[in-house]
Amino acid sequence: MDAIGIERGADEPRLLELPRPEPAPEEALVRTLRVGVDGTDHEVIAGNHGGPPDGEDHLVLGHEAVGVVEDPGGTDLGAGDVVVPTVRRPPADGPNEYFERGEADMAPPEATLERGIDGAHGFMSEYFASPEEYLVAVPPELASLGFLVEPVSISEKALELAAAARSSFDWRPETVLVLGNGALGLLTVAMLVDDADVYCLGRRDRPDPTIDIIERLGATYVDSRETPVSAVPEVHEPADLVYEATGHARHAFESIEALAPGGVAALLGVPDPWTFEVDGGRLHEELVLENKALVGSVNSGVRHFEAAVDRLRELPGWFPESFVTEVAPYRSFEPAFRSGPTSIKSAVEFARYEER
Ligand code: NAP
Ligand code: BGC
Ligand code: ZN
């Protein structure tokens, strides 16, 4: 079968010819429909994050997938079911306490593999195999957009952790500041605009398609070159919730200043090492005297995928049409990995969904 992978030492993905996976008795064989591309894939391709399985010379890419069960094997799934796989799998020495508790998303990096990212092949292939516990059934109407379930689930988990950190008092976020107008930031704006005043920070000039989406959603665009994160409370208003999706390490600290008393900032970005100065004493004092919180969040579990399915169905119909800017057939997949001012979210298509 054909697959898209990155070879050790290479700097761009390639079409690979690989054997079709042979599912273990408790695994289903899934025909891949579409697989999304995000900032993490670009980090993996650049050699800055993750890498191939031990002893192998390539990594099949892709962690945002949707597919159709081709052969249920020993699972309770049915042939033709539309499914979305979760990303984390047990390491080579077998399931550890995190997997046994069903909390793989809480495992530290050394206690997990990540399909398509770190140490385990991903889903950019015509078929993949998976145990049922790592497959989430989605309604057939999500067959074409199901590759957005994984990124939405990332935000579901982060918002859950943020709310949990504020659960000891009556916390109702009325103002949200989303840092970053990349795919994750825009999805999160779309998820939150119905319930709060949302500001979204970027560093782009108009005209720009991400600014158009932010404004059409009813949110306010903030240009970080004119209004740095720490100035948002003065220029606009303090935020009850900050959602950081820029990967710009200073934003973790500037978020403290952007928060209203009792607010919480969820940090999602995965920055490269960067040494800089901050007034640690002042920020520490502000966290304490204003009851503020910072929470980091990575990955997501089945519960977050299920919430993401509901959330995706609630988004306005025009949103995915403007947000998904490229769906490339797998034999000419290259445009899906190109970034540019007009590209927002891209995916690779392996097969079209046909109802059985
Ligand atoms: P992305 O497409 O690279 O988006 C980042 C966005 O932030 C870009 O649009 C960029 O603007 C903007 N940005 C960067 N620095 C900025 C600054 N100083 N001021 C204003 N805007 C700035 O990445 P993504 O896929 O949306 O993901 C966002 C971050 O989350 C990445 O760091 C990614 O690694 C991380 N991530 C984490 C998880 C998790 O589980 N924690 C999951 C998925 C992704 P330009 O485009 O104009 O440069
Ligand atoms: C993926 C997560 C993963 C994280 C760190 C993100 O892009 O969506 O599932 O845990 O990267 O590798
Ligand atoms: Zn991702």
Side-chain angles (χ1 to χ4, degrees):
M1 67 169 184
D2 288 325
I4 298 166
I6 179 87
E7 290 164 308
R8 262 185 218 281
D11 58 5
E12 55 184 38
R14 207 165 74 76
L15 205 55
L16 306 169
E17 175 64 29
L18 298 174
R20 200 199 262 208
E22 301 229 350
E26 73 289 357
E27 289 185 333
L29 181 69
V30 180
R31 176 93 170 95
T32 310
L33 294 172
R34 290 178 170 184
V35 187
V37 176
D38 78 354
T40 303
D41 297 301
H42 289 285
E43 290 287 300
V44 171
I45 291 165
N48 296 333
H49 184 61
D54 277 350
E56 295 198 37
D57 61 0
H58 69 277
L59 174 76
V60 175
L61 290 167
H63 62 277
E64 301 179 348
V66 58
V68 175
V69 174
E70 174 88 6
D71 178 352
T75 71
D76 287 332
L77 294 160
D81 286 358
V82 182
V83 290
V84 169
T86 60
V87 175
R88 291 195 160 177
R89 297 294 181 273
D93 57 359
N96 47 44
E97 55 180 313
Y98 300 99
F99 285 85
E100 279 154 10
R101 286 199 299 265
E103 294 175 354
D105 58 297
M106 296 306 293
E110 62 278 11
T112 184
L113 305 177
E114 291 189 334
R115 290 195 68 167
I117 301 175
D118 195 9
H121 292 305
F123 306 113
M124 281 198 184
S125 51
E126 290 180 87
Y127 296 88
F128 64 87
S130 174
E132 186 174 357
E133 65 182 297
Y134 302 124
L135 295 173
V136 177
V138 307
E141 64 263 30
L142 278 186
S144 59
L145 289 175
F147 65 91
L148 298 178
V149 169
E150 197 273 348
V152 172
S153 77
I154 294 293
S155 292
E156 294 290 353
K157 171 176 170 180
L159 297 174
E160 184 186 272
L161 283 184
R166 310 287 76 192
S167 63
S168 65
F169 64 99
D170 186 10
W171 182 69
R172 294 177 213 194
E174 287 172 1
T175 305
V176 179
L177 172 62
V178 174
L179 307 181
N181 52 343
L184 194 59
L186 291 179
L187 269 176
T188 307
V189 172
M191 289 163 65
L192 297 176
V193 276
D194 285 348
D195 299 316
D197 290 337
V198 179
Y199 296 86
C200 182
L201 183 102
R203 53 179 176 188
R204 306 252 189 110
D205 293 326
R206 294 166 196 268
D208 177 83
T210 68
I211 302 175
D212 293 344
I213 290 181
I214 292 166
E215 292 180 345
R216 188 162 175 200
L217 284 167
T220 304
Y221 175 63
V222 179
D223 187 332
S224 70
R225 297 165 300 181
E226 289 161 12
T227 311
V229 174
S230 52
V232 170
E234 246 170 75
V235 177
H236 299 285
E237 38 183 341
D240 301 312
L241 169 67
V242 173
Y243 181 99
E244 180 275 318
T246 54
H248 185 76
R250 277 190 180 277
H251 286 166
F253 302 92
E254 291 172 356
S255 290
I256 301 169
E257 298 167 277
L259 286 172
V264 55
L267 309 180
L268 279 287
V270 184
D272 294 329
W274 180 21
T275 306
F276 51 84
E277 279 188 15
V278 291
D279 185 343
R282 188 171 52 79
L283 296 176
H284 184 164
E285 184 192 58
E286 202 165 315
L287 279 168
V288 172
L289 295 184
E290 299 194 20
N291 289 291
K292 294 179 176 180
L294 288 181
V295 295
S297 181
V298 70
N299 197 251
S300 53
V302 167
R303 163 173 97 252
H304 311 112
F305 275 63
E306 287 167 350
V309 170
D310 294 339
R311 191 82 79 153
L312 259 182
R313 295 167 94 183
E314 286 163 15
L315 296 185
W318 64 265
F319 175 79
E321 282 165 31
S322 306
F323 177 70
V324 178
T325 47
E326 179 78 54
V327 179
Y330 76 90
R331 287 197 181 86
S332 40
F333 63 83
E334 290 83 357
F337 288 93
R338 264 178 223 139
S339 331
T342 56
S343 98
I344 304 177
K345 183 71 183 178
S346 57
V348 177
E349 182 167 79
F350 284 87
R352 292 267 167 94
Y353 175 64
E354 284 164 30
E355 220 159 324
R356 303 204 176 189

